[in-house]
Structures are given as C-alpha cells and as structure tokens.
Amino acid sequence: MSDLKEKFAFDVEGVEYHSENKEMSGREVRSHSGHNPAADWCLIQINDGYTSSVGLEASVKLGGGAKPHFRTMKSDRVFEFTVEDLGWEWGSPTIAEADVRTYGKIADDREIVVEVIGQEEIVVPRGGTIDLAGPKIERIYTRESHLPNKLHVIFVINGEPTPVEGKPAEQLVKLLEKALKESENTGQPVDAWQVTDEPGNVLDVSKTLAELDIKDGATLLASLKAGAAG
C-alpha cells in the first residue's frame, strides 16, 4: 500500500500550490503561497462570474470540483461593487478592465460601463482601469459595444500612405508591423520606428488602439527614430 497522501491543488496569482488538506483557512492559503505576514494581504477568490474576499479565519474548500483560483493584494481594505448585478470584492483601489472582462466572463463584443453617482457614465477603454476609491460607483454593467469591430488606419511611411486594418483591442505596434510589411520597409526592426499622430504627438505603440483613442480612418506617421537609419 502506498503511503502517499492525496494532494489538493489551488492557484494563487497563477502559481499552483498543493495541500494534503481538503480544507484550509484564508490565513493558511496566504502563508502557503508565501504571502506573509498573512494579515497584511487581502485574498480574493475568483468565482463563477464574480469575486469575493476571504478572511483570515474563513474556510476554503479544496478538491471535488474546479481548482480554486485566488488573487492577492497588499491591503487592509476591501472594495465592494457590482458587475452585472453580481456582488464583487477587490483588495486594490483600482481594477483592470481586463480583469473585470475575464472574471466576469464578459464577451468581447460588449463594452464595460461604470455609473458613478452624480456623474455621467464612463465607458472603460480596453486595457484601461476602473477607480474603486474615487466617487462612489453605483453599478458596473455591460452593453453592446458602440465601437466598430475593425478600424482602418493609414500609416504614412517615407511619404507614401499604407492602409491597414486592426481591432480596437489590438496593440498599435501590431498595426505598425503590418504597415511596414505591406510597404516593404523591413530593413529595420519594428522597435527602430516611432509613430506620431497628425498633431505630432509620439504614441506609445505598446498601447491598444482603444487606449490611444485612435478613430476609424486616422492617419499616422511612421518614421525611424533618431540614429536608427545609420
């Protein structure tokens, strides 16, 4: 007979851990994953479409179903809000749009909207964040996206226009790569190029088209950075 005991898996910040116990306290989950002192950390469990905080002495069940998944934040405060009428809890004063979309199982063709008491509603850009510590949020909900599924952007490279298509959630650098390939400007690596808008502002190509508020039909200038041509 084997003396090996069954081990039960759980996930903290994308790292899998194992325990011989089917039940752990919130304190033990923190300590087991290296989050010490345990009282300094807020532990958030990712549930089916919502999130909840786990107290230090609260019980966490392992095994018998989907592997529990947790996020941690060094915080002594829990922020409460609703997403699609489901109660959420979070341990940081901001939450990424991507986290709300992923954990809330929100379809890619829907946009996330924040209703703040006494203010106009806010459409959260792709890759953006939601401020949980500012003016009180009445609710967070989703609706069919008002953004086009595709954006047409014209890159002017060496004086010649090169049209390309991209999605609002796509990084600008991906469109730059397409434009350089289409225009046969492949003698320099993509990071040797910079992109500016029509007023001349240098754009962060690591950001998405939605984050940069690039509209359908926009014209952008791609040029080699100083010294790159040498």
Side-chain angles (χ1 to χ4, degrees), residues 148 150-154 164-166 213-219:
K150 288 186 179 180
L151 297 175
H152 301 83
V153 178
I154 298 172
V164 293
E165 288 185 354
D213 197 27
I214 293 176
K215 307 296 186 185
D216 190 39
T219 297

Side-chain angles (χ1 to χ4, degrees), residues 6-215:
E6 183 178 3
K7 293 192 175 183
F8 305 95
F10 61 98
D11 182 294
V12 181
E13 295 294 341
V15 178
E16 185 172 286
Y17 298 90
H18 297 87
S19 171
E20 293 180 352
N21 302 315
K22 290 189 69 172
E23 192 169 310
M24 300 177 72
S25 69
R27 183 186 301 275
E28 290 170 331
V29 172
R30 290 166 171 86
S31 296
H32 200 81
S33 59
H35 293 86
N36 294 298
D40 288 353
W41 294 87
C42 179
L43 184 68
I44 300 294
Q45 183 164 3
I46 309 304
N47 304 301
D48 187 14
Y50 68 99
T51 65
S52 57
S53 63
V54 181
L56 289 168
E57 312 311 328
S59 176
V60 174
K61 296 186 184 302
L62 309 178
K67 177 177 63 177
H69 175 53
F70 301 93
R71 292 285 304 272
T72 55
M73 298 98 182
K74 200 164 190 178
S75 171
D76 60 359
R77 180 178 175 186
V78 174
F79 296 87
E80 299 180 355
F81 53 101
T82 64
V83 178
E84 297 288 70
D85 294 326
L86 293 176
W88 281 52
E89 294 179 321
W90 200 247
S92 172
T94 61
I95 185 169
E97 177 270 346
D99 286 337
V100 175
R101 185 172 297 278
T102 299
Y103 303 148
K105 301 181 178 179
I106 297 169
D108 194 55
D109 61 354
R110 297 186 69 79
E111 60 188 14
I112 297 172
V113 184
V114 179
E115 280 191 0
V116 178
I117 294 176
Q119 298 184 19
E120 292 186 3
E121 64 184 21
I122 302 166
V123 178
V124 185
R126 295 297 178 96
T129 59
I130 299 171
D131 182 6
L132 304 175
K136 183 170 177 56
I137 293 175
E138 186 168 0
R139 67 173 179 139
I140 300 173
Y141 70 98
T142 72
R143 67 187 180 198
E144 186 177 352
S145 178
H146 294 170
L147 292 173
N149 290 328
K150 288 186 179 180
L151 297 175
H152 301 83
V153 178
I154 298 172
F155 281 88
V156 178
I157 307 172
N158 297 326
E160 295 294 327
T162 301
V164 293
E165 288 185 354
K167 296 180 179 180
E170 196 169 1
Q171 288 179 304
L172 180 58
V173 68
K174 299 300 183 184
L175 267 71
L176 174 59
E177 289 174 345
K178 293 179 187 177
L180 293 174
K181 185 176 180 180
E182 287 288 327
S183 61
E184 299 182 349
N185 284 282
T186 55
Q188 295 284 351
V190 67
D191 58 8
W193 294 81
Q194 70 176 13
V195 178
T196 56
D197 58 16
E198 288 187 285
N201 300 306
V202 178
L203 303 178
D204 183 348
V205 297
S206 69
K207 292 187 175 181
T208 67
L209 303 187
E211 286 180 281
L212 294 167
D213 197 27
I214 293 176
K215 307 296 186 185

